[in-house]
Amino acid sequence: MAVRTQTGRVNDHHTRALHFRSLHVPGEPLVLVNAWDVASARIVAAAGARAVATTSAGVAWSLGAPDGDALGRDAAVDLVRRVVAGVPLPVTADIESGYGDTADEVAATVRAVVAAGAVGVNVEDARHDGGAPLREVADQCARLSAVRKAADHAGVPLYVNARIDTFLRGAGGVDETVARAHAYLAAGADGVFVPGAVDPETVTALVAAIPAPLNVLVGPGAPAVPELARLGVARISLGSSVAEAAYAVARRAAEETLGAGTYDALAGAFDYGALNDLMRG
């Protein structure tokens, strides 16, 4: 049901945020094919997605920056604003570790992302400054608490997905991941994202030990969506892999054309007219 403000106007942002929350159901996972620009977001939406998620890596690469908090808040927020305006679906934003050194700076990022229309954020606990692979738990909890307070102050039930990079960074297994998950949930997170954990035994253990929707990262070789659903996963993300595949086509086409002088890498391309029509909305 739409929520009305004191002026009587329907607050669609609030409604979209509530709807997005409702999509996180263990055993009936929300599948997110991550986008990095308006065109990819519209393609995903047209394929029948229930929501759109950005990929920080894809966004950064498309704007000429490396992944890992190098892009900066303004450029990241501008992209979120464009995607929100370009699709009729809830949009959740990957904001890396928050584009800020302090909890207050992360809160400023969240305020800007919410103002841009996002209904969710991913906030990771990885470090990108050459120090320890992960932030200290207390530090990350302070950042997540600031995220929660900023969203609540804005009046939007933002879905805060706490990304735990224990498996990706080789910084701990199930026990460390679960301990961090409990701390992050207590700090204000709504769900937990554990990239790098896809084998059924590990996923089963995480689902059983974490009292919140579990998000996993998939790609070639990972269990199929129906199997992950049976394990109790609530959210499945493709992350940067779709952008990586798209850029691989560009590289193959460039190398083939500049080398052999042929164009076979372009076979199966998205039809020009269909893509152009999709951009017309």
Side-chain angles (χ1 to χ4, degrees):
M1 183 177 69
V3 176
R4 295 186 179 274
T5 66
Q6 291 180 345
T7 63
R9 296 178 60 187
V10 175
N11 187 340
D12 290 332
H13 191 181
H14 193 282
T15 303
R16 286 196 306 273
L18 290 176
H19 175 61
F20 183 69
R21 282 177 166 274
S22 74
L23 298 177
H24 294 77
V25 180
E28 299 178 16
L30 170 63
V31 179
L32 297 170
V33 181
N34 299 70
W36 61 96
D37 60 9
V38 177
S40 58
R42 286 188 175 173
I43 289 168
V44 169
R50 295 187 290 168
V52 168
T54 64
T55 159
S56 65
V59 168
W61 297 334
S62 73
L63 297 174
D67 191 26
D69 282 334
L71 181 60
R73 178 189 300 144
D74 291 345
V77 171
D78 180 65
L79 187 281
V80 172
R81 184 178 297 108
R82 291 172 182 270
V83 171
V84 168
V87 295
L89 297 174
V91 174
T92 182
D94 181 348
I95 61 171
E96 304 189 53
S97 63
Y99 304 113
D101 293 330
T102 68
D104 286 344
E105 290 173 344
V106 175
T109 296
V110 169
R111 286 192 293 271
V113 168
V114 170
V119 298
V121 291
N122 279 11
V123 186
E124 65 189 50
D125 61 2
R127 299 186 70 95
H128 302 285
D129 55 7
L134 302 183
R135 294 185 183 277
E136 293 293 331
V137 172
D139 180 22
Q140 186 65 4
C141 284
R143 296 164 79 86
L144 289 169
S145 179
V147 169
R148 179 82 278 151
K149 290 176 182 177
D152 290 348
H153 183 73
V156 175
L158 189 77
Y159 189 93
V160 180
N161 204 30
R163 174 172 149 172
I164 302 175
D165 274 11
T166 41
F167 284 87
L168 279 187
R169 297 297 189 98
V174 170
D175 290 345
E176 175 66 17
T177 303
V178 170
R180 283 179 175 263
H182 280 262
Y184 297 167
L185 292 169
D190 299 292
V192 173
F193 181 24
V194 187
V198 291
D199 68 276
E201 183 178 353
T202 300
V203 171
T204 298
L206 293 173
V207 168
I210 296 173
L214 178 68
N215 183 184
V216 298
L217 181 69
V218 297
V225 169
E227 181 177 355
L228 291 170
R230 286 193 294 272
L231 297 177
V233 171
R235 177 166 161 172
I236 297 171
S237 303
L238 268 64
S240 63
S241 60
V242 182
E244 292 172 48
Y247 289 129
V249 173
R251 183 177 68 178
R252 288 196 298 270
E255 291 176 346
E256 180 187 356
T257 306
L258 296 172
T262 54
Y263 327 104
D264 293 339
L266 300 176
F270 206 124
D271 177 74
Y272 172 90
L275 186 55
N276 215 37
D277 286 343
L278 190 58
M279 294 310 108
R280 291 192 178 99

